[in-house]
Amino acid sequence: DSEAAVLERLEGASLPLSAVEAADVGRLVHRGWYDAVRKIVQRSHAGTEEEAVWVTSQVRQAVQAEKNSLDDLIRVLDRNYGKAAEVSPASQWAQNSTHVFLAVKFAQRWNAPGALEVGNQTVSITSCCFNFTAFGEHSMIRRRYHLSWELFQPLVVEASSWSWAAAGRMTVIFAKAKPAHWPRLMSGPTAAPKNLGIWHDMQDKWTSDLEKLAPLTSTVGAKKGKAAGKSAAASPDTKKATAKSRRAKAAEKDGEEAEKDDALDREVELVADCPKASYSGTTVAELCGKVWPKVVEDPRVQDRRWLVELYSSQGDGDAESMKRLMPVWRRLADTFPAMVPGGRVGSLDCGLEGELCRKLGVSMEKLPQVRRFVGGGAGDVWTGDLMASLEDFAAFGGSGDRSEL
């Protein structure tokens, strides 16, 4: 068909407006046959109110989808688009006398959002070193996460291991070749990256174990360390006081950041307990009733602002609108945290969480729906177009005194 042929059919009675489907409108917009789209709009104005509303919705959705595609085309102009950006992921470590524990988060900073999933990973643990490489995507940018460290003392490779942890994290356990209290993780005193911190919760579990050994002073100082350990064992009160002072200084220095990190970690853990549904594998937080009070109503994360899509996977509401909103919502989840401090994007499947949605006063036949939550309550309802721009949604999520733009 040509645009002229479509216009001819629309001019006559051979193509009733009821025969025009959403996919047809999308194809016309995609092909740039705007005169044909205008003709459909004109005919809807002359028809029933129901036809006019339906056509308006479909044209808006088709135009927004095309705009998203063109935005991606603009991004291609960046010569680095599609290339993997190099990232040294944030890490925290702790130890006891026989093992080193390492937590890695696929983000530049520990308290920043990052990739939820990575793939094509390469992990190498040798007697001296740890090397890790994996690829993931965050904020629509492909990233290469890489660590290459020479550790303070030799390891037992066969007794060392690694595993995936919560979303966007991994855990590594290094077995020390000899019992010792390492003063640092890296071989060189200046080799540690700035985003390597102490895993305080894990370290506190092993305080009494490490008190038996004095920190080594060099990579070949194991014997001196053991001798010092014997001497230190005769004055446990001194060792306890030193350890307590060290922890107090670390807590004073990193207290505020650690508190933020703990809150974010706890939120990630809570959300991970919710069933995975339509947004699995994306940065959209899939919420559920059992974590709603702690994550949305009374969040631990300071200044948390939620934009939540309420939808149904069980056939309730407008399925076509839900389908159209999904790619927009995925994009918003990547950009909203950077646009609005404390912002995060979530989803709630009312088909599975009916009790919570009834409590929020949600009408199932009016799904999908977008709400802003800042603290408790039923939230503020977005009353604009569901195919609005990311900027419009972000402006709504960042405001606190109005329910629509």
Side-chain angles (χ1 to χ4, degrees):
D1 278 351
S2 64
E3 184 176 17
V6 173
L7 282 168
E8 185 177 350
R9 295 178 65 190
L10 287 170
E11 289 284 1
S14 60
L15 184 63
L17 198 58
S18 59
V20 178
E21 299 181 353
D24 297 326
V25 177
R27 281 191 290 269
L28 293 174
V29 172
H30 180 67
R31 292 178 179 181
W33 293 359
Y34 303 140
D35 287 340
V37 177
R38 292 189 185 96
K39 178 57 68 176
I40 292 174
V41 173
Q42 290 170 3
R43 287 190 55 178
S44 73
H45 290 167
T48 66
E49 181 66 22
E50 184 179 356
E51 286 178 333
V53 170
W54 183 86
V55 169
T56 298
S57 174
Q58 299 310 313
V59 171
R60 286 183 181 276
Q61 291 177 17
V63 170
Q64 187 62 48
E66 194 67 16
K67 181 177 181 296
N68 291 340
S69 298
L70 293 173
D71 286 343
D72 281 340
L73 188 58
I74 291 296
R75 293 187 183 96
V76 175
L77 298 176
D78 183 351
R79 67 180 60 193
N80 294 316
Y81 181 79
K83 296 181 180 180
E86 190 80 13
V87 176
S88 177
S91 308
Q92 295 182 344
W93 77 291
Q95 63 174 319
N96 60 19
S97 59
T98 58
H99 291 83
V100 172
F101 309 95
L102 180 70
V104 180
K105 180 178 180 180
F106 304 122
Q108 185 70 46
R109 303 186 311 279
W110 193 262
N111 62 346
L116 294 179
E117 295 181 351
V118 296
N120 298 325
Q121 69 275 2
T122 300
V123 184
S124 173
I125 302 175
T126 63
S127 61
C128 71
C129 306
F130 171 63
N131 288 280
F132 168 80
T133 300
F135 292 86
E137 183 174 311
H138 176 61
S139 297
M140 295 179 285
I141 299 175
R142 182 169 169 78
R143 302 173 191 270
R144 178 178 180 265
Y145 298 95
H146 180 64
L147 296 173
S148 183
W149 295 341
E150 181 180 357
L151 302 177
F152 184 74
Q153 280 202 332
L155 306 174
V156 179
V157 177
E158 297 78 10
S160 302
S161 63
W162 70 275
S163 62
W164 300 123
R169 304 192 184 199
M170 70 178 294
T171 301
V172 187
I173 301 177
F174 301 115
K176 298 177 180 178
K178 295 180 180 180
H181 182 175
W182 292 6
R184 58 183 182 270
L185 181 60
M186 309 296 187
S187 175
T190 61
K194 293 182 179 180
N195 59 354
L196 174 65
I198 301 299
W199 191 351
H200 293 289
D201 290 344
M202 178 66 78
Q203 192 60 68
D204 288 344
K205 297 178 181 179
W206 301 107
T207 299
S208 59
D209 179 65
L210 285 177
E211 286 175 353
K212 302 172 185 177
L213 298 169
L216 299 179
T217 56
S218 71
T219 56
V220 294
K223 291 183 178 180
K224 293 181 180 180
K226 289 182 179 179
K230 291 179 181 179
S231 174
S235 55
D237 291 340
T238 301
K239 288 296 297 177
K240 289 181 179 179
T242 302
K244 184 177 181 180
S245 175
R246 186 166 57 249
R247 291 197 303 273
K249 289 180 180 179
E252 182 178 357
K253 181 180 179 180
D254 302 328
E256 185 175 346
E257 286 298 319
E259 185 176 344
K260 292 180 181 178
D261 291 344
D262 288 344
L264 286 166
D265 291 346
R266 181 56 178 159
E267 183 178 88
V268 170
E269 292 171 359
L270 287 168
V271 173
D273 287 338
C274 292
K276 300 306 173 188
S278 301
Y279 289 101
S280 178
T282 72
T283 51
V284 178
E286 296 189 292
L287 304 168
C288 58
K290 65 180 179 180
V291 306
W292 188 270
K294 294 182 179 179
V295 173
V296 180
E297 290 183 357
D298 186 19
R300 291 183 59 182
V301 177
Q302 186 177 8
D303 299 325
R304 174 59 84 215
R305 308 179 73 86
W306 283 98
L307 272 181
V308 179
E309 177 201 356
L310 300 103
Y311 73 102
S312 174
S313 63
Q314 306 302 308
D316 304 292
D318 186 342
E320 186 63 28
S321 293
M322 294 177 200
K323 182 179 179 181
R324 293 273 189 167
L325 184 57
M326 283 189 69
V328 177
W329 215 241
R330 292 193 190 101
R331 289 169 177 267
L332 186 63
D334 289 330
T335 59
F336 184 53
M339 300 170 76
V340 176
R344 191 169 183 189
V345 170
S347 66
L348 181 65
D349 187 347
C350 291
L352 303 178
E353 300 291 337
E355 182 177 350
L356 173 57
C357 289
R358 285 191 293 273
K359 177 183 175 183
L360 295 174
V362 177
S363 176
M364 300 294 282
E365 62 270 15
K366 292 184 179 180
L367 296 175
Q369 189 178 89
V370 171
R371 296 194 185 191
R372 175 189 61 212
F373 293 91
V374 184
D380 301 311
V381 180
W382 165 262
T383 57
D385 193 328
L386 286 176
M387 295 308 298
S389 67
L390 301 184
E391 291 77 12
D392 286 346
F393 277 126
F396 170 67
S399 64
D401 56 352
R402 54 198 176 105
S403 61
E404 62 177 321
L405 293 174

